[in-house]
Amino acid sequence: MGGNVSSTNDNQDRKGRHYAFQPDYKPYRLASPFSELEHSYDVVVIGSGYGGSIAASRAARAGLKVCLLEKGKEWRPGDFPEKELNAVKELQMTVHNEKKGYGNSTSLYDLIVSPDVAVLQGCGLGGTSLINANVGLDCETRIYDDEVWPQAFRDDLEKFTTLDRDRVYDMLKPTEYPDNHLDMDKLPKMAAMEKAAKHIADIEDLEYDKILRKVPLYVNFKNKEENHVGIPQPACINCGNCCGGCNTGAKNTLNMNYLPDAKAHGAKMFTEVEVKNITRDEKTDSWRVHYVHHGQDAFENRERVVRAQVVILGAGSLGSTNILLQSKNNGLELSTNIGQRFTTNGDALGFSYNGEDKIRPAGKEVPKVRKRRKGPGPCITSVIDMRHRTDKGLGESYVLEDGTPPCSVDVPYKFLLRWVDSGVDTTPGENDWREWGRHLVGKGWKNSLAFLSMSNDDSSGELKLDPKNGRVWVHYPKVGEGDNFQVVKNGMTHATTALKGYFVPNPFWGGLAAKIRDTKGIVTVHPLGGCIMAESGKDGVVNHAGQAYKGDTDELLSGLYVMDGAVMPRCLGVNPSLTIAMVAERCMRLMAEQRGWNIDYASTKKIDLSLSATPNKPGIKFTERMVGKMSVGNKSSDSDFILTIETQDVEKMISEDPSHAANIYGSVSIPALSDSHLTVSNGHFTLFSKSDGKHHTREMTYRMLLTSNEGQTYYFEGVKVVSKDSAFEIGLSDTTTLNVSLYKGEDNKGDVVGTGRLHIRVKDFIKQLGTMVVTNTTSPLQRLKWKTKFGNFFAGCLWEVYGFAGSPDTAFNPNAPPREKRALKLDDVVPKVHKVSTKDDTELLLTRYEGGTKGPVMLVHDLGMSSRIFVVDTVETNLLEYLVSKGYDVWLADWRASILLPSHKEKSTLDDSAKYDIPALVDKILEVTGSPDIQVMGQCGGSLLVFASLLSGQLEGKIRCLIASQVAFFTHPEKSTWKVNVPHLLYGDGLTAYTDTEVGWKGRFVNRLFETAADLSTEFGEHCSNSVCHRVTIMYGRLYEHDNLSKDTHDNLHEQFGFCSVAFLKHMSKCFSKNYLVSADGKNIYLPDHNKKKPLESVDYMARMRYLNLPILFINGEDNRVYDPKGMDQSYERCKEANPEQDYQRKTSPGYGHIDSIIGKDAVHHVFPKLLPFLDKYAEAGSVVKYTPQKKQSIVPELTVKGDMTDSSLAHAYHYGGEDESMHAQNGDSQVGNGHTTTHENGSNNNGHQFSWHKHGRQGGMRDRSPKNSPRNSPRSSPRSSPRASPSGSPDLGRRESLAPINEPQ
């Protein structure tokens, strides 16, 4: 055995039966990477069935430069589905007159459904040979007597049936099923066929041994370390899955003979390439093959071109006909007979159900067969051949073969026989009770046998192009009414009678489906015709040698051939693969003679498996689209490209190769240069290679050859110069902008013909990430691992923002593969990232998801976390998805404590963040959106931070409404103040919630300590084994109810929690110990005088509380174990007291704790709906009317000052007055003037100075003098627009932009 193919021996089992060795086919492949496709070849072969494979082999043996294009994928033994659901995934179905089909266009099982005929064919490298029954029967000689065959063909029958047939036999090696194969007795189905043959022979008065024989099979029954082309092959193990795909390698599919022979002699093969049409280039006497590559389906699937002197179609009856019909529609002069004389080959299917003998009716999974041994045998082993009766015409000629469906259709097969149509009893009155019992318990199926038959229909069908889906469909009305099918039914009924079973016809021909549709439908696996051979274009499409006619004449098109089942001019009445192969061998023999080629049939060169081996290391590929402008001469045009970058060794690319090189293929559109898309070949890409002479700079280069449809070549050279601009930014604009130069010719030494600049749009960048595929491995873990590693290398933190493939590389178990993340449910909403720099030069991050016109709403995360909490993908719907689905413009804020930013390890405090971060973030949103104000939601520390910024006057007039989640400005801890005092004693700079399985002894000790402490501080039901969970509990308290988290969320807490600096922890400790928001040094700068007996009488206190005169929803989990809900209650009551007319709301979430209100698995049902009405109420900009004092305001606060006041106190007092308000020194007297009364209420400020509030009110009650049509009197007006006094006597004061903010902690 050659190359890297290995084997394992299993020579004896317990019964002494020997089983074949099993080669490992995984490392070996025939197809070349698509990036190796060149722009021109001597011969292009389309399709890889019997015709295409033979053409490629023989052209390569003639020393020609050969390219084979296959629409499907490459399948190797071991790849084929054996489970029903996996098989369904590999089904593609096209229905006549329907635009969209089912499944992927490269899936293995290709089903085309037409009104009267359904066609099932294989799609993959090897064509239908991958899923056929591998039978090599000859046509009966009477078939060739039909004058529909060209005379030159009939004159050449001797060579055709000897020389050409021998060449096929030498490659496909047909062999009858051996007696005692695998030391087994006669297969049960072979014994059943013998019974059936005897019964039919008695009826027809024939000798049964003259009609029953074994069929020649393209199956290997001996272990071979190396077959005749160099491929190792085991012996058949009788699994019966021939028609589902052979997973052992025993079946002689074309990728075991002709295709590796073609590769050994230099042919190149490319998969997932769908040819659309062919055009002629008369100037160069060559052909253009127009194709699309299905490796770029995420973007526009553009047609590209490969050129050749000779084009050979071997895409099968439907495929070749489709291509020629499309080509004719595009102007190629071809015969009008394309599509005519289609035949189903008389295919018919029937079943004997619930007979008297067990038969092993369906295939078995390979592992089960290896274990239990008793498989059903190959799909077909015997034939009752009714073709050689000289007294019968061809219409009564048929073959009847045993059939074994693959295990992948086991369940539907059982269902059909047991429940859909259990058939007609052919032996009524015999063993009825026994038959009924087997049927009742489901064992009747085990005594069943499928029959496959071929006969002779009238070959009058037509293949037509379906304009809706671009594929051909079969027009063959009443084909099932043909006499030949009734003859076959009679034969199947006789065979069933011999087996004492129930006859069940094909449900589409004579069963339930046929009755419902009132049509006898035919399912064929042997479609023939459509491009038939004939004497001229008046009667057919090609001549006897497969060469295409020019129109309806006898003139031939140079270099265009068809050599597959499409050229058959009539029904063959038998399995057609051998005849198709013989015709292809003959066509290649004649082509070589005509063109002077020398096909080296004597060559014994075998494939070198070491050269065909798949690289042992995973590769990767992704597709990129860039758009922009290109200038060519004095022309400028919108231009773009769609390119796939591919490497066969991703580890080498990102770790070892300094240039990080890969290959490129795709297309470029430059209308100023060519009206058609330019096809890329010989493309080379380098990713982040170091720039020569530029420090801290890397380059991404694109170099490739472009070929136009006219045959002109150009050299494309593009460079992205990438500079890392800051600690956070990796240069998105750099990585998405390409400077392009275009040269005439095949390198950059030619004249420059064009220049331009292309860039990546964000929506295309998102698609690009979704196209990343890890190749050369079947392991899901390996694919995910390398996709994530490449993503981290490629985009750094941008991958974290945009990516869908995996988590960051800080996993709980660093040796475990990163988990796969689900894509966010955002429809077409594309995230946009904004970098924000604060006045103290800290870089923050805003990520926008513009889900609608509501908002904008900013979400602010907690300490030691990040905005990830709002986009957690381990729940059904996260908060971001929820808000976007409701039409909100959502902005995720990452402030300096975010674990996504480098700043989170710096010694900052809430004071710093309140002063710099929140104002900068808010201003950025206002700048980008143009909105006058925004909505904000803060979670825990984020809420506390927003209150600090509000109370310091940093956000005046900019916040429309606020949701305070879990905590506000009163911070009563839940018996856990120590939990934020202890951690910073353990580590000098702070504490991290992150730990992993590779931690050292110190870390393990700390983990154990934290686990013990966490267990002691929580109920038994809340204990777990997650070390991150333990650390979180000790750092912050019990943040969630375990039952509220999904398992995935709990297992991946390391994604949400990280390092929290000691400065933040100490600041929080101060707030906890004081029970309210204080500065980092413990001073009461945010709520001065709040603890006075009458705080409402304090100027400084009221100055701060006036900043909170905006709608606020206070919400917390009812079971919050971090903050006592009375802190939220107190914050709510203080706001209501200070601003009684404002819309303050108080809600709780029963059953929820702290952070589980955001990341809980059912938060979308229990918590988020509580937020929505409040957000919707203030969803529009301007929905909250800001208070502006009116001229000659009738309700004005006035101050009486006694004693000395500091400048600060005077400033506070002054900024509380309006334009027409004044400060008066009063002695508590009462004034009357202008019909108003003034009442004085004595108090003092925080410096001990006495003052009085003067409340002006019109006698007989207060009156609002604002115009009736003003916002104040609008039904939508917010309560806070009415500046009334509260019942308690506190003033309702308008907010003033002139109120001095707190600039520094005092």
Side-chain angles (χ1 to χ4, degrees), residues 227 283 454 784 848:
N227 71 6
K283 292 182 180 179
M454 281 125 272
L784 185 56
R848 183 187 192 184

Side-chain angles (χ1 to χ4, degrees), residues 373-622:
R373 303 312 191 207
K374 292 184 179 180
C379 177
I380 295 173
T381 55
S382 307
V383 60
I384 299 174
D385 194 339
M386 306 296 289
R387 296 179 297 163
H388 303 292
R389 296 173 294 173
T390 57
D391 59 329
K392 303 288 186 179
L394 285 176
E396 297 182 73
S397 171
Y398 69 92
V399 294
L400 189 65
E401 300 166 348
D402 61 288
T404 302
C407 62
S408 56
V409 297
D410 178 272
V411 172
Y413 184 27
K414 289 179 184 176
F415 181 78
L416 166 68
L417 295 182
R418 188 179 181 193
W419 299 110
V420 177
D421 192 344
S422 54
V424 178
D425 191 356
T426 58
T427 56
E430 295 186 32
N431 300 317
D432 287 352
W433 284 102
R434 186 174 297 175
E435 292 168 356
W436 181 83
R438 288 196 299 265
H439 175 73
L440 186 65
V441 299
K443 292 186 177 180
W445 174 77
K446 294 184 177 180
N447 293 29
S448 302
L449 178 65
F451 297 117
L452 305 172
S453 178
M454 281 125 272
S455 59
N456 291 278
D457 62 21
D458 62 8
S459 305
S460 63
E462 182 180 0
L463 296 176
K464 295 186 175 183
L465 201 58
D466 192 328
K468 287 195 173 181
N469 54 51
R471 302 196 71 183
V472 295
W473 63 282
V474 180
H475 178 65
Y476 206 159
K478 304 297 183 181
V479 58
E481 304 287 348
D483 293 340
N484 60 299
F485 292 108
Q486 187 60 47
V487 171
V488 168
K489 179 195 173 186
N490 295 338
M492 290 182 178
T493 303
H494 295 327
T496 304
T497 302
L499 303 181
K500 298 183 179 181
Y502 288 69
F503 175 65
V504 182
N506 173 3
F508 294 98
W509 183 83
L512 181 63
K515 293 174 184 177
I516 293 173
R517 298 172 63 244
D518 193 27
T519 299
K520 288 188 174 182
I522 299 299
V523 178
T524 179
V525 294
H526 302 133
L528 300 173
C531 302
I532 67 166
M533 61 172 68
E535 298 292 354
S536 74
K538 294 179 182 179
D539 305 307
V541 180
V542 300
N543 71 352
H544 70 99
Q547 189 171 1
Y549 286 116
K550 185 175 183 180
D552 290 347
T553 70
D554 56 4
E555 184 181 349
L556 296 170
L557 291 171
S558 176
L560 181 59
Y561 296 82
V562 183
M563 49 184 72
D564 54 27
V567 305
M568 302 300 159
R570 60 151 296 131
C571 184
L572 299 180
V574 74
N575 309 71
S577 61
L578 178 61
T579 305
I580 294 172
M582 291 164 58
V583 167
E585 285 281 13
R586 177 179 181 273
C587 288
M588 291 305 298
R589 167 169 58 87
L590 297 177
M591 186 190 301
E593 292 174 2
Q594 178 191 27
R595 291 184 164 268
W597 297 346
N598 178 27
I599 300 176
D600 186 2
Y601 291 106
S603 172
T604 58
K605 185 177 182 180
K606 296 181 179 181
I607 190 169
D608 185 344
L609 292 181
S610 64
L611 298 178
S612 301
T614 301
N616 291 326
K617 295 184 178 181
I620 199 164
K621 65 178 181 180
F622 61 91

Side-chain angles (χ1 to χ4, degrees), residues 91 118 125 254 259 297 303 312 372 377 455 581 643 693 706 849 917 935:
L91 172 67
L125 190 63
L254 293 165
L259 288 173
D297 290 343
E303 282 192 9
I312 301 172
R372 301 172 186 173
S455 59
L643 301 178
L706 308 182
Y849 295 84
D917 296 5
Q935 299 173 283

Side-chain angles (χ1 to χ4, degrees), residues 730-960:
I730 68 164
L732 177 58
S733 61
D734 294 340
T735 61
T736 59
T737 302
L738 184 73
N739 297 305
V740 178
S741 296
L742 201 62
Y743 303 87
K744 190 172 184 178
E746 300 189 1
D747 53 39
N748 59 3
K749 297 178 181 178
D751 296 335
V752 176
V753 296
T755 59
R757 176 172 291 183
L758 306 178
H759 64 273
I760 300 177
R761 295 175 297 192
V762 175
K763 67 177 183 179
D764 289 333
F765 183 66
I766 300 299
K767 284 186 180 180
Q768 176 179 331
L769 293 177
T771 65
M772 287 192 180
V773 176
V774 175
T775 59
N776 307 336
T777 178
T778 58
S779 166
L781 297 180
Q782 283 290 312
R783 288 199 295 263
L784 185 56
K785 171 186 174 182
W786 285 105
K787 183 186 288 188
T788 305
K789 282 194 172 186
F790 180 81
N792 289 335
F793 172 79
F794 176 73
C797 52
L798 281 179
W799 179 263
E800 178 62 27
V801 174
Y802 290 123
F804 309 126
S807 310
D809 55 6
T810 54
F812 177 69
N813 179 359
N815 296 320
R819 70 176 181 86
E820 186 160 3
K821 285 190 174 183
R822 68 168 174 84
L824 297 181
K825 298 180 292 184
L826 299 174
D827 296 327
D828 294 327
V829 176
V830 176
K832 296 179 181 178
V833 181
H834 298 268
K835 187 185 72 174
V836 179
S837 294
T838 67
K839 291 182 179 179
D840 68 340
D841 295 327
T842 300
E843 291 180 342
L844 314 178
L845 180 65
L846 275 170
T847 308
R848 183 187 192 184
Y849 295 84
E850 194 172 359
T853 58
K854 295 181 182 179
V857 57
M858 180 175 76
L859 307 183
V860 188
H861 62 81
D862 198 355
L863 288 166
M865 305 184 77
S866 72
S867 62
R868 289 189 198 135
I869 62 170
F870 304 117
V871 294
V872 58
D873 71 311
T874 50
V875 297
E876 173 191 345
T877 302
N878 56 50
L879 183 55
L880 169 67
E881 293 169 325
Y882 181 81
L883 293 177
V884 166
S885 72
K886 303 301 181 183
Y888 276 89
D889 182 6
V890 184
W891 293 72
L892 305 185
D894 282 281
W895 52 288
R896 71 183 62 206
S898 168
I899 60 174
L900 296 182
L901 306 180
S903 57
H904 79 283
K905 293 191 176 182
E906 297 175 1
K907 294 182 179 180
S908 299
T909 66
L910 290 175
D911 298 332
D912 301 321
S913 301
K915 178 179 178 181
Y916 298 115
D917 296 5
I918 298 299
L921 294 167
V922 171
D923 287 345
K924 185 66 174 180
I925 298 175
L926 297 180
E927 174 193 337
V928 174
T929 63
S931 177
D933 50 23
I934 69 169
Q935 299 173 283
V936 178
M937 175 179 174
Q939 166 64 23
C940 187
S943 174
L944 200 62
L945 177 60
V946 175
F947 275 113
S949 196
L950 279 167
L951 289 168
S952 61
Q954 302 285 344
L955 304 176
E956 189 173 9
K958 300 177 182 180
I959 306 302
R960 191 184 317 153

